[in-house]
Amino acid sequence: TKKNIIDNNLYYNSSYYNEKQLQLDLVKTDAINNKNYWKQIELETKEILLDIAFVPTEPSRGWLVGTKSTLLETTDKGKTWQLKSLNLEEDKYRLNGISFVENEGWVTGQPSILFHTLDGGSVWTRIPFNTQFAGDPILITAVDKGKAEIVTEFGVIYETTNSGQNWKAKVKEPLGKLRNVARSQNGSYVAVSATGSFYATWQPGDSEWNFQLRQSSRRIQTMGFTQDNHLWMLTRGGQLWINQGDSINSNEWQEPINPEGRLGVGLLNLAYHNPKEIWIVGGSGALFYSLDGGLTWNKDFSTENIPSNFYKITFVDPQLGFVLGNQGTLLRYETDEKVYSINNV
């Protein structure tokens, strides 16, 4: 019989655990608790931050986008940021996506807007948006030089292979209004309906989305992919589900886990730091982490007094990560090789 155990603010399912592994993870938990790795970065904006990306050919250079046409640049790996302008006639745009491959980058937003750069962002060129697109873009992915994919708010996937001069639909039939969409490293997608009542998957070669019923009675908040391209799901009330099936269409979901140890907290996004270390963010400064692939969870109390909802968490490399929130809230995570090695034991 499975039972939930709370010990030292650590939640775990005893059927998956043994004493030796528990002691090892408590040591690693202390390594994180004894040093505050998340530092709040002061920014010249109070807008909602929506996406972040760094330039692969210039690892210290990165960009932040957000509401009201917010665009910021860093040249020191995110320690400081400067506001930049796209020379828009109005600040009405919700810049919701940014992505780079080498020094070629893309920015998308709502209402429909698209920018392109070939020099890491020194010059951003506005590309006329195809009026035949089904809806506004909500996700942009730089795939290769000259090649990118856009997903619209209605679930149509478009691809360009000539730096945005032409776009071709990979999925022609709209899926319906979406809450969010995520892309895996192997090019698959998972999309959550606007109501959170169902999700859909797509793999390269598919001609249409595959509809999937949610496993929980609770509505879906968001979904994404693990580092080995399995699905994860956050549902209303703070539950985490992880799929162990070989296919993204599999229904082999593990039993749900509540990282906080109880229902109620709103969890909004998840990111893998490495295959074992996972972080989850949520409303009211909620920040949780696991050091064993999601079996046990601990709360990081260093952020609980930050008056912000955390909407996105991402790790741009093994030592550097960011949390994006409202009110211009940006948290930066940086750790050294020694602690990173401990976390990978």
Side-chain angles (χ1 to χ4, degrees):
T1 301
K2 297 180 176 66
K3 64 177 181 176
N4 297 335
I5 302 174
I6 296 192
D7 182 20
N8 192 28
N9 208 34
L10 190 68
Y11 167 88
Y12 64 95
N13 192 310
S14 60
S15 67
Y16 293 120
Y17 236 77
N18 59 63
E19 186 66 24
K20 182 178 180 180
Q21 185 64 45
L22 173 61
Q23 294 303 318
L24 177 60
D25 283 347
L26 285 175
V27 170
K28 290 186 285 186
T29 298
D30 288 340
I32 288 181
N33 286 342
N34 290 335
K35 184 175 180 180
N36 178 13
Y37 293 112
W38 292 99
K39 306 291 185 182
Q40 187 169 3
I41 305 298
E42 294 297 324
L43 299 179
E44 302 175 73
T45 182
K46 293 298 181 181
E47 296 304 317
I48 301 173
L49 305 177
L50 298 173
D51 203 7
I52 187 171
F54 278 73
V55 183
T57 56
E58 303 175 69
S60 296
R61 189 181 191 186
W63 296 85
L64 264 173
V65 294
T67 56
K68 290 191 176 180
S69 306
T70 298
L71 179 71
L72 298 104
E73 180 187 16
T74 181
T75 55
D76 57 10
K77 301 189 75 172
K79 295 177 182 178
T80 60
W81 296 82
Q82 295 77 42
L83 277 172
K84 298 295 180 178
S85 174
L86 290 170
N87 298 316
L88 295 169
E89 63 281 1
E90 297 181 80
D91 289 337
K92 66 177 182 179
Y93 293 97
R94 178 185 177 90
L95 302 182
N96 55 20
I98 185 167
S99 183
F100 280 90
V101 60
E102 297 185 11
N103 61 348
E104 182 178 20
W106 305 83
V107 168
T108 56
Q110 298 170 286
S112 295
I113 196 168
L114 177 64
F115 284 89
H116 181 236
T117 181
L118 291 170
D119 55 15
S122 297
V123 176
W124 289 98
T125 302
R126 186 171 179 176
I127 296 179
F129 209 82
N130 193 324
T131 57
Q132 296 182 346
F133 273 21
D136 295 334
I138 59 173
L139 180 68
I140 179 76
T141 305
V143 178
D144 204 343
K145 291 293 287 185
K147 185 177 180 180
E149 292 179 359
I150 281 177
V151 184
T152 71
E153 60 187 321
F154 296 114
V156 179
I157 305 171
Y158 296 95
E159 178 187 54
T160 181
T161 56
N162 55 11
S163 296
Q165 296 180 46
N166 304 102
W167 295 85
K168 180 180 180 181
K170 303 182 76 170
V171 176
K172 296 182 180 180
E173 291 297 322
L175 180 59
K177 188 75 171 180
L178 301 182
R179 171 185 295 274
N180 48 58
V181 63
R183 187 182 190 274
S184 71
Q185 296 178 358
N186 64 11
S188 299
Y189 286 94
V190 61
V192 178
S193 68
T195 61
S197 58
F198 70 89
Y199 70 97
T201 57
W202 181 90
Q203 300 177 84
D206 288 348
S207 60
E208 59 186 15
W209 289 91
N210 296 297
F211 287 82
Q212 311 286 343
L213 295 177
R214 68 183 191 273
Q215 298 298 303
S216 170
S217 60
R218 298 179 179 275
R219 293 185 181 272
I220 304 169
Q221 182 66 43
T222 188
M223 294 183 69
F225 292 91
T226 67
Q227 290 191 329
D228 56 0
N229 297 312
H230 289 94
L231 288 175
W232 57 259
M233 175 193 300
L234 294 176
T235 60
R236 304 284 180 85
Q239 285 188 335
L240 167 65
W241 298 67
I242 297 178
N243 194 306
Q244 293 300 309
D246 294 331
S247 166
I248 62 173
N249 297 319
S250 168
N251 287 320
E252 296 180 36
W253 294 93
Q254 289 183 349
E255 289 191 21
I257 294 174
N258 296 102
E260 196 180 26
R262 59 182 175 83
L263 293 174
V265 68
L267 303 180
L268 302 177
N269 198 224
L270 177 153
Y272 278 75
H273 187 197
N274 57 58
K276 292 184 179 180
E277 185 179 329
I278 313 171
W279 291 79
I280 291 179
V281 295
S284 303
L287 183 61
F288 300 90
Y289 64 90
S290 171
L291 297 171
D292 54 18
L295 299 181
T296 72
W297 291 88
N298 206 349
K299 183 173 183 178
D300 188 326
F301 289 95
S302 67
T303 64
E304 64 177 350
N305 293 323
I306 296 177
S308 174
N309 294 323
F310 298 155
Y311 296 119
K312 183 180 179 69
I313 181 169
T314 184
F315 290 93
V316 297
D317 65 40
Q319 281 78 48
L320 186 63
F322 294 90
V323 169
L324 284 59
N326 62 347
Q327 297 294 315
T329 301
L330 178 68
L331 306 184
R332 181 177 182 272
Y333 174 106
E334 185 172 23
T335 186
D336 55 36
E337 291 287 350
K338 180 179 180 181
V339 174
Y340 180 69
S341 296
I342 290 176
N343 292 343
N344 279 276
V345 172

